[in-house]
Amino acid sequence: DIPAGEFREAWLSFALPDDLPAGRYTGEINVAHAEGHRTVPVHLDAYPFQLVEHPRKALASYYRMTARLADRARLLRELRDMREHGIRHLCAHLGIRYAQGADGKIAPDLSEIRDGLALLRQAGFGGGTIILESGLAALARMLGHTDLGKGEPGTSLDRDARFRQLAKQAMDRFVELKRQTPDFRLFLSHLDEVFGSRPLLEQYIRLSKAARQVPDAGLYITFHTRDERSDAWRAE
C-alpha cells in the first residue's frame, strides 16, 4: 500500500520455465487505486543461453536469510536463483542467538543456523563458505554492558567472567556444529569494517578475545586499507 502523493519503487521478479523458448513475451500489470486501476504493459525478453558453472571463479553475496525464514518458498526460489548465477558463498545473517529463561539463565541457541543450513543445502550451496553471526555483542548487551557502541569504548566487558563463560559455551557448540557439518565451511563474524574507528576496533578485539577461548571457532573479518594506520591496526 502506498499513501496518496508518495513515490515508491517496486521490484518485480519473473521466474521463467527452463523449457521456455527464447523470444519476446508481452503481458500487463494492473495497479489498483482508490478511483480505479492503471494497466502497465510489460515486455519480457527470454534469451537463448543456459547458465553454467565457472571452472575457476565463484561469487559471494550478503543475503539476509533471517528476514525470509518464514517464507520458505520465496527463500528457496531466491537462493536457487543466486546459486544458478554462480554464487557459492554467503554472508547469510544467520547466527547464534541467546535465550534467557524465567530463571535468568542464558543459553546459546544454534537452531536458526541449523535450520538455515538445511535450506542452503536444499538450494545447492553445499561445499560453500557461510559467514554467520556470533551474536556476542547482543549477549554483552543482555548482560547489561553499554560500552559496545562505535563511539563508546570501555573495558568492563573484559572483567565479566559470566560473559566469557557464556561466550566459550557458544563457541564450543559452534565447533561441534562445524564437526557435524562437513559439507560447509563455517565462520563467525561480529562486525563489519572494523577500521571505521578506534572504538569499533576495540569492540571487535574484546569480542574476539572471548571467542578465541576456543581457537577452532574461526572468525571472519572485513576491513579497508585506505588509511596509513591500517597496517598497525591489522597487526594489532
Side-chain angles (χ1 to χ4, degrees):
D1 293 336
I2 305 174
E6 291 196 9
F7 173 85
R8 303 281 177 88
E9 289 186 354
W11 290 91
L12 305 179
S13 297
F14 298 88
L16 307 183
D18 290 338
D19 58 354
L20 185 72
R24 169 159 287 195
Y25 294 83
T26 60
E28 57 187 30
I29 296 171
N30 292 310
V31 183
H33 54 91
E35 300 179 4
H37 70 278
R38 178 70 59 86
T39 298
V40 181
V42 174
H43 302 284
L44 186 66
D45 291 319
Y47 294 109
F49 67 81
Q50 296 293 323
L51 297 171
V52 297
E53 194 79 25
H54 195 285
R56 297 183 305 279
K57 296 181 181 179
L59 302 176
S61 179
Y62 281 59
Y63 178 68
R64 292 191 176 276
M65 287 184 64
T66 48
R68 297 164 171 82
L69 279 175
D71 188 347
R72 299 303 178 92
R74 175 189 174 187
L75 180 60
L76 282 172
R77 184 170 64 248
E78 292 183 357
L79 286 170
R80 284 169 175 160
D81 183 68
M82 293 162 63
R83 186 66 192 86
E84 289 173 0
H85 283 81
I87 295 175
R88 301 182 194 175
H89 316 294
L90 281 183
C91 185
H93 293 278
L94 302 167
I96 302 174
R97 309 305 175 193
Y98 299 84
Q100 188 166 16
D103 56 0
K105 291 184 178 180
I106 298 173
D109 181 3
L110 278 68
S111 60
E112 179 184 280
I113 296 177
R114 296 180 187 276
D115 192 20
L117 290 178
L119 285 167
L120 285 169
R121 198 175 286 115
Q122 190 175 348
F125 277 86
T129 297
I130 309 299
I131 309 303
L132 306 161
E133 297 174 354
S134 72
L136 291 180
L139 172 63
R141 293 188 178 97
M142 287 181 70
L143 295 174
H145 295 282
T146 59
D147 56 2
L148 295 177
K150 294 183 179 181
E152 303 174 24
T155 59
S156 62
L157 188 63
D158 301 331
R159 302 189 297 269
D160 189 335
R162 188 184 182 198
F163 172 75
R164 289 180 58 81
Q165 178 186 14
L166 287 168
K168 184 178 185 304
Q169 182 182 359
M171 297 304 104
D172 282 333
R173 292 189 181 182
F174 176 67
V175 169
E176 180 59 29
L177 174 65
K178 289 173 66 174
R179 294 193 185 104
Q180 298 169 357
T181 317
D183 54 334
F184 289 104
R185 297 177 69 240
L186 304 180
F187 293 88
L188 291 175
S189 177
H190 320 304
L191 302 162
D192 271 337
E193 298 296 344
V194 299
F195 289 176
S197 68
R198 182 69 208 183
L200 188 61
L201 178 62
E202 290 177 353
Q203 176 183 344
Y204 177 83
I205 290 173
R206 290 198 299 275
L207 297 176
S208 295
K209 284 181 178 178
R212 294 293 290 169
Q213 295 179 95
V214 182
D216 288 342
L219 300 180
Y220 168 88
I221 184 174
T222 61
F223 44 64
H224 56 72
T225 56
R226 298 173 295 183
D227 198 305
E228 290 184 359
R229 65 189 179 183
S230 296
D231 285 341
W233 281 14
R234 188 165 52 250
E236 186 176 351

